[in-house]
Amino acid sequence: MKEFDYIIIGGGCAGLSLAYELEIHEKLKDKTLAIIEPRKEYKRDKTWSFWKVTPHNFDDCVKKSWDNFSINVPNKTTYLECNNYPYQSVDSGLFYEKVNSKIKENKNIKFFKDLKEIDSKNSFIFNSVISIKKDHNNLWQHFSGVEIKTQNDSFDDGIFNLMDFDCDQRESVHFFYTLPYSKNKAMVETTWLSKMNNVSQKDYDDQIKDYIESHLNLKNYKIVYKEEGAIPLFYPVYEEEKNKINIGTAGGMTRLSTGYTFLNIQEHSKYIRENIENISNTKKYEIAKKYQFLDEIFLRVLEKHPQKMSEIFFKMFMGSPKTVIKFLSNKSNFLEDLSIILKMPKWTFIKALFY
């Protein structure tokens, strides 16, 4: 069996982002790379959205960008600007096409369906496949979304709705999310922050249909695309091994309070590329400890007091959206962190320190 210098396990967002970063910076001219990915074909299956707080390689895969957004709780709506850090939505189909077209130019990069097809004993491995122990107490962000097309102009495509909490909460945290790609096309998503075993929340089709017809007041529309998924709001099992680095969600690149992962993946890929010549001895890359600590407290409050979360999210954005965006995107300084903390219900969060 053939040996490779590097192996990437998992050809999803994290694996392909790393392969692309290495390839465009010519780190694979004299090195071989195997990508282990079981899927038969690449097609659109995800939508990755985030505030652009740092440059990345995939501006040409952005389906839409917004400078304005809203947050809604029962009887209250706030409209906010994010022109300093526009909110971008990356189409996974465009992403897959771009990356695969590029890396296919390099004969040193090969795809395989299974790790057993190659000799991996002397390779450096980048693993993006998460390992999760079954634990019904873990929190997840689980979601389902549909892209709809209407006959008439039905949306203001200059503003997106980040969170609409005016919906059935079922003793959890539930909101809808609307991304208008054009005046007659939008992604509408139902999102739950709860324990994954809560089957009562998974009537996704009924939730979305009711929201579109009752809240968006649309009757004549066509579903042109659908996606569904779940993001762990906890760090997967991580065992340090020689000549192996976990990447993506498996490597702790998901921000637990938000589920945002895409830009963290890009920054991790850049870090690996910059240190690839000495990767075996390179310090582990991770989201800053302060965010890990604050997210842990935040999620304790979310689990114990789900009924308070809509107001907490609403108040968080009041004042300076720029500060909140930087905080949620791992780019805030101490004073900005402090301004966010001071907006939180203090006694509730203090008690969460001792749960």
Side-chain angles (χ1 to χ4, degrees), residues 61-78:
C61 301
V62 172
K63 189 165 184 173
K64 177 72 175 176
S65 183
W66 298 267
D67 291 334
N68 300 277
F69 67 103
S70 64
I71 298 176
N72 186 56
V73 296
N75 304 313
K76 282 191 295 186
T77 301
T78 185

Side-chain angles (χ1 to χ4, degrees), residues 6 96 242 330:
Y6 309 121
Y96 295 143
K242 185 180 179 182
N330 324 326

Side-chain angles (χ1 to χ4, degrees), residues 138-142 172-173 192-196 198 201 233 302:
N138 283 331
L139 288 171
W140 291 75
Q141 179 185 124
H142 56 104
S172 293
V173 179
W192 294 86
L193 308 180
S194 65
K195 294 172 183 176
M196 195 61 182
N198 199 332
Q201 298 166 356
L233 300 182
L302 187 151

